[in-house]
Amino acid sequence: MEWIVAVARFFVNEVLSVPAYMVGLLTAAGLIALRRSVGQIVGGGIKAVLGFLLVGAGAGLVVAALDPLGAMIQGAAGAQGVVPTNEAIVAIAQERFGAQVAWIMISGFALSLVLARFTPLHYVFLTGHHTLFMATLLTMVLATTDLPGAAAVALGAVLLAVVMVSLPALAQPWTRRIGGDGKIAIGHFGTLGYIAAGAAGQLVGRGSRSTEDMKLPEGLRFLRDSMVATALSMVLIYLAVALLFWAREGTGAALAMFPPAEGVAPTIGHFLMQSVMQGLQFGIGVAVILYGVRTILGELVPAFQGIAERVVPGAVPALDAPIVFPFAQNAVLIGFVSSFIGGLATLAVMALWLNPVLGLALILPGLVPHFFTGGAAGVYGNATGGRRGAVAGAFANGVIITLLPAFLLGVLGTFGTANTTFGDADFGWFGIAVGYAFRGGDAVGVVLALAIAAVLLTGAIVVQKRLVETGWEPRARRAAEDR
């Protein structure tokens, strides 16, 4: 019997816990249900895995390019505080709660499939790393209680399953407005920011043209290539920040930012040209992400037809935030910049008012969450309100992901004193809601936490039945008024 346990453990730890493999297996299962040939099944599964890995590789390039930019911005602005980084806080928590996180993640995913099968919320959440992040957040919040381990896992699994099927449904009217004809959903825990962005676009965007219709002078037509425009924009941003960093921190700090090859003397020229290279690397990362997304969609969406027919009727894959990037590539860059500006503006308010009055920590704008969630928020805002919607919607997202992490620190127990925390919107509001539910004691906390889950699930079902299934579009009323 030991070999059976060993095989099961290997399959769970080395296959199902790897998001790329899980996407490939689901794709293959869908193609099998569609009765495709062996070659199509194998090829489709492998292409889905490769597409997922391409997105991860592109994200890695983007993160690597943003890290030194964030350090230079912090040095140029002279700000110190908490930097919201999901990966960092999860890595810290894994050292203490690794097993409990794994149980909540696996149990929550299984329960989410049950909910997808037997409720109107036929969404299958496929963003594996965000499932891990939310499982970790719930583990950390519940660790501040006196609940037995098994009870904490059971409650965490229920809460995780509910958010995995509910949040894609709540955002689906806006996601469908972006594109995809309802065949995909957003499976990313920045959903509050995306809904806020879509709503902001509705408020301010009447008559505003799409970001993708921007007219460029003949001499600037090369900027219509999104990869070129993104890379050039980031090069200019990098150079501007590099010059400010050099002016504030001095030549020594600037030379130490990008150490040259061994035996080569550091120079300011090397510092500036490395800044240019980092901006170009950012452009490459975005291009790789977009290609990976297209590869995933080309295989996963048809495969889900088979899953819908056999396992979860009407199944809709809920995928990572970059899934919306190809629908409005100009809006991604506009959203990133606008969200970052929103974060800086909120940081100023926190430093001048909220920190002295409420004692809130200063949340420095993390470039990674602002790029991914801000870029997606720009796409959502553009879908309902054009250029003004992209700017206002992403700005609202920047405010949200700067305020919520500060309040979240209060429910993370000993982890609240760390120099990092969760960055995306849904980690903030959901963690705060569950954390404060237990302020009245464990028994009251369990009841309130389950009540929160019930309200969220019921609200999502109402949205699904009354808005998604009836074809309501967030921009329809505004369009009708314009006519």
Side-chain angles (χ1 to χ4, degrees), residues 308-386:
E309 293 172 0
R310 302 299 177 91
V311 183
V312 182
V316 178
L319 302 167
D320 202 353
I323 206 70
V324 302
F325 286 6
F327 293 103
Q329 297 176 27
N330 291 339
V332 174
L333 186 58
I334 292 173
F336 167 43
V337 175
S338 300
S339 181
F340 185 72
I341 292 173
L344 287 176
T346 308
L347 174 62
V349 173
M350 295 175 73
L352 295 174
W353 178 46
L354 294 178
N355 177 264
V357 175
L358 301 178
L360 290 181
L362 297 182
I363 303 298
L364 301 183
L367 287 167
V368 173
H370 280 289
F371 172 70
F372 287 104
T373 70
V379 177
Y380 275 82
N382 177 68
T384 57

Side-chain angles (χ1 to χ4, degrees), residues 8-23:
R9 185 181 296 114
F10 171 83
F11 189 70
V12 170
N13 294 338
E14 305 298 335
V15 180
L16 294 182
S17 62
V18 179
Y21 294 156
M22 187 171 68
V23 169

Side-chain angles (χ1 to χ4, degrees), residues 12 14 56 108 135 187 192 234 259 367 401 445 475 482:
V12 170
E14 305 298 335
L192 175 62
M234 284 304 298
L367 287 167
I401 66 173
R475 200 178 177 183
D482 289 346

